[in-house]
Amino acid sequence: MGSSSNPSSSHNLTSSSLLTRRSIAIALYALIPLALLHYLLTLPPLPPPPTTAPPSSPSPLNQSKASSAVSPSPEAPAARCDYSDGDWVRTTAGPRYNGTSCGDTIKAGQNCEAHGRPDTGYIYWRWRPRRCALPPFDPAEFLRAVRGRHVAFVGDSLARNQCESVVCLLSSAFPAQLVRGAGGGDFRRWAFPSHNATVSVFWSPFLMNGTERPKAPPPAGELYHNRIYFDQADERWAAEVQSFDVVVLSAGQWYLNPAIFHDRGAVIGCHLCPPELNRTEMDFFGVFRLAVRNALREVIARVASSSSPARRPRLAVVTTFSPAHFEGEWDSPTACARTEPYARGEREPLYMDEEMLRAELEEAAAAGADATARRAGLAVEALQVTRLAAMRPDGHPGLYSRPFPLAGGVRERMPNDCVHWCLPGPIDTWNEILLQIVKRWADGADATAVSAAP
């Protein structure tokens, strides 16, 4: 008999096989999503998609934040700062010098302490820019930057005011020797032997050649005007340009006075002239701009004509217009009697101050481009002090341009100086900013010299 299969046994085997296959299939279907999830989780992040739109220019504030967040390369210059935008804030730190320690340098009329000014609050304010820091003046840093160099201040009595501030700040830490102009005066020179550095001041109230009107008014009917020659350099300082490494030009106040203007041998106009003179009346904005332009051209031309085969780097700085703060008549006892700075927005900028500032900024920028095009080796910068100076009505000598003016009581008419600045005082801040400009220039000049060395 042949063998026969067991139907029950075959059925059980088939059922078991089907069950096993189904279990495997279910397990595979369950594992596939898990594997896919694991793959996706372990992928590296995708790069951002490229964009064809140009990046938008960041605002100055965002640029400042970005520059502080990213460390520049060692070769990159320090980020520039708008030092003109800020606030005056109180400080407990006093100045580096006083009217006694630097009394031999300070012009008597600006030595407010020696002349008995009773309040001292005006020396306890610091300028705080809104978007960057302004360090206190460091004499060692300044002299390091101008080691072996000549720094010249050229201009009117505010140029002298600023120069005396620099000398007082420097001599608070390093000995200074007066080597020209003993006894005071408008042409002085100091040497700082520790760094082989020189600081000079040159009187040139118009920046160009000019004839100052006499101190005493002439007889009635005669002209009482300055005469300015815009086509002629003031050789009292221009003849020494070749010796300057840094020249700081500062003028403006003398252009507010009556004057007759000359150019190329002809009278081109007049400011505050009597009608009978029959001359074209010119406002002082245009002629002041012309003076700044021609003074900078004179510097560029004389530097560019240097016979030296390798011109050394030089720097020209234009200190912008410093406003006066007369309130009422100049000889009123309260003409400038304020004892604190203006707060931001408390005093609107004056049209005259802003126009003088605009002229200097535009002429400095144009001169810088001209010097670069001529390969003169001269950098041109603007030291913007107009707006921060406008906020300091408390910093002038006022009545104390003369010794102890109230000793005999208050009189109806008392002369004031609401133009110049007490030393020490707000003008020391001008030189804190100047230090940053000079350091930036010197670092670039020194790096260039090192890279060019054989």
Side-chain angles (χ1 to χ4, degrees), residues 419-438:
V419 175
H420 302 96
W421 302 94
C422 292
L423 291 178
I427 201 167
D428 294 328
T429 298
W430 292 205
N431 291 321
E432 291 179 345
I433 301 172
L434 177 64
L435 168 56
Q436 300 308 311
I437 294 174
V438 170

Side-chain angles (χ1 to χ4, degrees), residues 93-138:
R96 295 192 61 92
Y97 65 95
N98 57 45
T100 300
S101 66
C102 203
D104 291 340
T105 297
I106 302 170
K107 184 177 174 63
Q110 281 95 61
N111 196 336
C112 302
E113 176 189 346
H115 281 187
R117 179 170 172 170
D119 65 303
T120 58
Y122 66 96
I123 63 176
Y124 291 100
W125 294 87
R126 274 196 54 74
W127 180 249
R128 184 173 63 191
R130 296 180 67 191
R131 295 180 175 89
C132 53
L134 177 62
F137 190 91
D138 185 337

Side-chain angles (χ1 to χ4, degrees), residues 12-193:
N12 290 340
L13 180 58
T14 302
S15 299
S16 175
S17 298
L18 290 173
L19 180 60
T20 301
R21 290 184 186 136
R22 285 189 188 135
S23 299
I24 292 172
I26 292 171
L28 287 173
Y29 283 121
L31 287 172
I32 288 171
L34 290 174
L36 181 60
L37 179 62
H38 175 75
Y39 172 74
L40 292 174
L41 289 175
T42 56
L43 274 176
L46 292 173
T51 177
T52 56
S56 60
S57 299
S59 67
L61 179 59
N62 289 336
Q63 283 181 323
S64 175
K65 289 179 178 177
S67 64
S68 63
V70 180
S71 299
S73 65
E75 295 80 12
R80 290 181 179 270
C81 171
D82 179 6
Y83 293 110
S84 69
D85 183 17
D87 301 278
W88 289 100
V89 296
R90 290 186 184 274
T91 179
T92 57
R96 295 192 61 92
Y97 65 95
N98 57 45
T100 300
S101 66
C102 203
D104 291 340
T105 297
I106 302 170
K107 184 177 174 63
Q110 281 95 61
N111 196 336
C112 302
E113 176 189 346
H115 281 187
R117 179 170 172 170
D119 65 303
T120 58
Y122 66 96
I123 63 176
Y124 291 100
W125 294 87
R126 274 196 54 74
W127 180 249
R128 184 173 63 191
R130 296 180 67 191
R131 295 180 175 89
C132 53
L134 177 62
F137 190 91
D138 185 337
E141 282 291 309
F142 191 96
L143 287 174
R144 179 199 63 78
V146 300
R147 183 185 295 276
R149 289 170 168 145
H150 184 185
V151 181
F153 290 82
V154 173
D156 57 19
S157 51
L158 284 158
R160 182 192 62 220
N161 207 180
Q162 185 181 359
C163 178
E164 290 175 354
S165 164
V166 160
V167 172
C168 288
L169 289 165
L170 295 176
S171 61
S172 68
F174 297 92
Q177 297 175 358
L178 182 64
V179 296
R180 185 177 78 176
D186 297 315
F187 297 88
R188 283 176 289 167
R189 179 167 295 165
W190 294 264
F192 290 86

Side-chain angles (χ1 to χ4, degrees), residues 334-402:
T334 58
C336 52
R338 290 179 179 265
T339 58
E340 290 192 357
Y342 289 118
R344 175 186 292 275
E346 184 178 351
R347 178 181 185 262
E348 288 296 318
L350 299 182
Y351 173 78
M352 182 188 77
D353 300 345
E354 291 293 303
E355 283 299 298
M356 298 290 268
L357 169 63
R358 184 164 69 91
E360 290 171 302
L361 294 180
E362 291 176 356
E363 293 305 322
D370 183 30
T372 300
R374 297 178 64 173
R375 300 182 181 273
L378 176 75
V380 182
E381 298 276 358
L383 170 51
Q384 297 190 49
V385 302
T386 303
R387 291 169 184 160
L388 58 99
M391 297 169 70
R392 290 305 304 270
D394 58 317
H396 302 290
L399 296 173
Y400 297 91
S401 61
R402 290 165 172 78

Side-chain angles (χ1 to χ4, degrees), residues 3 67 156 195 202 256 269 291 306 313 321 330 351 389 415-416:
S3 65
S67 64
D156 57 19
H195 294 73
F202 294 82
L256 313 186
S306 171
F321 185 71
W330 73 276
Y351 173 78
N416 285 268

